[in-house]
Amino acid sequence: MAPHPVIQAIIDFSAGAIGGTACVLSGQPFDTAKVKMQTFPSMYRGFIHCFISTFRQVGLLGLYKGTTPALLANISENAVLFLSYGLCQDVVRLLAGMDKGTKLSDLQKASAGSLASIFSSMVLCPTELVKCRLQAMHEMEMSGKVPRGQRSTVWTVVKTVLRTNGPLGFYEGLTSTIMREIPGYFCFFGAYEVCRSAFAQHMGTDKDNIGILPLMFSGGFGGACFWLAVYPIDCVKSRIQVHSLAGRQEGFMKTFMGIIRTEEGRRQLEPLPADLGQRHCTSWTGCQSIIERQTDNHAHSYSHLQQI
């Protein structure tokens, strides 16, 4: 018997919150390296260089800059995503002329996840803006884009945004965020469901009983597919959100074309090298760190989701 809609909503919300917490605790240093490499690619030769340089210059805590907004971002994103995912599945059933409760195909579930990401983008963009600015503040000071010696906390970043741009300033990069989330979560949920289906077929059981390790692998595989599909868009988003701290930043298309024109971003069209993230390829800069982080993060998220 299906649980009451309110109970199901609470379960979905709790699963997203727990999954988001697991993501931050396991992956924040990787995310910090990613943002630094995306926004200031000329400063670092690769992930290892960025990681070691950050540790030497600002210590271990420097790798955890932006943890508070990251925690809020991940909890709110996952909570809203999983909450709206169930509702969006009903929308897909309605559009497909299916009865409520009818089992969806893997493609239909991917479409529901893609639709749900629009709602999660609205809560994700403001928190990611604060997080990214905190993570790249040291580089902004070193490059002379902002004065040195400023106190850098969540509250000071929030006050700066409100003072200079008002509440709408928190939505710098919203277009990039939505453009990243919609195709990204289509790939994520699609890969996740296909992987679960493959495990279920191989094990001779249904997808809900494949066990914790196959579930974690499916979540990790989905996370890797997410980032491989949309990483260049995330690079543009980070640039917009961080560099807008120093003044007006161009929109998505101009920023994207600027990367291609001035920083050899067209290399993203080449086959990914074996040492991905170690060579200077701007649109993919930091990709190694985010693939490692998100494979781990989504594995944690979906193991918690299944247990709940």
Side-chain angles (χ1 to χ4, degrees):
M1 181 179 177
H4 189 275
V6 174
I7 300 299
Q8 186 61 54
I10 294 174
I11 291 173
D12 290 343
F13 189 90
S14 300
I18 293 173
T21 302
C23 285
V24 173
L25 294 179
S26 62
Q28 183 63 14
F30 294 99
D31 185 72
T32 298
K34 179 211 62 151
V35 172
K36 288 176 180 290
M37 293 167 68
Q38 285 179 325
T39 51
F40 293 91
S42 61
M43 286 190 179
Y44 302 108
R45 296 190 299 270
F47 167 62
I48 299 299
H49 180 232
C50 178
F51 194 93
I52 293 175
S53 296
T54 301
F55 181 78
R56 286 176 175 172
Q57 292 169 5
V58 291
L60 180 63
L61 291 180
L63 294 168
Y64 281 90
K65 274 285 188 180
T67 297
T68 299
L71 192 60
L72 291 174
N74 276 272
I75 290 176
S76 58
E77 180 196 20
N78 281 293
V80 173
L81 182 66
F82 287 123
L83 179 61
S84 56
Y85 178 53
L87 300 176
C88 288
Q89 285 183 320
D90 290 336
V91 172
V92 170
R93 290 188 184 96
L94 180 64
L95 294 174
M98 302 166 66
D99 294 332
K100 192 169 183 178
T102 304
K103 202 169 184 178
L104 298 178
S105 67
D106 293 341
L107 180 61
Q108 289 170 327
K109 288 182 179 180
S111 300
S114 182
L115 182 61
S117 69
I118 298 174
F119 301 100
S120 65
S121 297
M122 302 305 294
V123 297
L124 180 63
C125 185
T127 48
E128 277 212 338
L129 180 136
V130 176
K131 174 189 73 70
C132 289
R133 288 188 176 183
L134 282 170
Q135 289 172 319
M137 189 65 72
H138 176 71
E139 286 73 17
M140 290 289 284
E141 293 180 356
M142 294 294 290
S143 64
K145 292 183 180 294
V146 297
R148 296 193 183 196
Q150 295 187 96
R151 192 160 177 258
S152 179
T153 65
V154 174
W155 179 233
T156 57
V157 172
V158 169
K159 285 196 299 183
T160 299
V161 174
L162 289 173
R163 185 174 62 249
T164 56
N165 302 107
L168 290 180
F170 289 105
Y171 286 93
E172 286 272 5
L174 177 62
T175 300
S176 305
T177 302
I178 293 175
M179 289 180 67
R180 179 192 71 182
E181 299 291 284
I182 291 177
Y185 273 105
F186 180 87
C187 294
F188 170 71
F189 279 101
Y192 170 68
E193 293 295 343
V194 167
C195 200
R196 288 177 66 210
S197 296
F199 274 117
Q201 184 176 7
H202 177 73
M203 299 166 68
T205 184
D206 59 74
K207 291 199 291 187
D208 294 329
N209 295 310
I210 59 176
I212 191 67
L213 290 180
L215 183 74
M216 291 181 67
F217 180 87
S218 300
F221 179 68
C225 291
F226 177 108
W227 285 105
L228 286 171
V230 301
Y231 191 81
I233 301 175
D234 184 67
C235 181
V236 175
K237 181 197 76 71
S238 295
R239 291 286 181 92
I240 292 173
Q241 291 186 323
V242 171
H243 289 186
S244 60
L245 177 61
R248 181 172 175 79
Q249 176 69 19
E250 299 288 357
F252 175 81
M253 282 307 302
K254 287 188 176 181
T255 301
F256 183 82
M257 294 306 297
I259 292 174
I260 292 178
R261 188 168 53 249
T262 63
E263 301 175 33
E264 298 183 299
R266 61 179 62 88
R267 280 180 171 177
Q268 66 178 288
L269 300 177
E270 298 177 357
L272 296 182
D275 56 338
L276 182 62
Q278 296 299 321
R279 58 187 278 192
H280 181 70
C281 176
T282 304
S283 289
W284 288 101
T285 301
C287 191
Q288 180 190 29
S289 63
I290 200 64
I291 293 297
E292 291 169 353
R293 169 181 172 254
Q294 291 300 330
T295 299
D296 179 46
N297 285 354
H298 285 89
H300 278 85
S301 295
Y302 277 83
S303 64
H304 286 292
L305 172 64
Q306 185 69 14
Q307 289 179 42
I308 290 176

